[in-house]
Amino acid sequence: MRTRLSICRKKARYPSYEAALVVARSADIELRPYPCNQCRQYHLTGRLKGKRMPRER
Ligand SMILES: [Zn+2]
């Protein structure tokens, strides 16, 4: 998944997957860390069931 630079700059960055995971687990909603191709760090994303996730269908 590619991350837009505009999105990257809005989101919190985490230096490692583990650091992001700690934050994700403390959140009320379901979040997942993912590596960002812009800053080479990690962000959190939610809405895994949403419409914005492209599917093969
Ligand atoms: Zn980023």
Side-chain angles (χ1 to χ4, degrees):
M1 166 171 32
R2 286 190 185 174
T3 308
R4 289 186 190 175
L5 185 58
S6 59
I7 293 174
C8 173
R9 296 182 73 181
K10 282 182 191 172
K11 302 190 109 179
R13 290 174 204 157
Y14 305 96
S16 70
Y17 183 89
E18 286 76 17
L21 196 60
V22 168
V23 176
R25 284 180 175 168
S26 67
D28 291 334
I29 58 174
E30 189 175 354
L31 294 172
R32 265 196 197 172
Y34 67 93
C36 175
N37 60 298
Q38 297 288 347
C39 64
R40 308 263 177 158
Q41 295 188 65
Y42 290 81
H43 300 297
L44 294 177
T45 187
R47 291 180 156 268
L48 298 177
K49 300 169 189 170
K51 302 167 188 170
R52 300 186 67 180
M53 296 292 288
R55 294 194 175 183
E56 293 184 8
R57 222 190 263 187

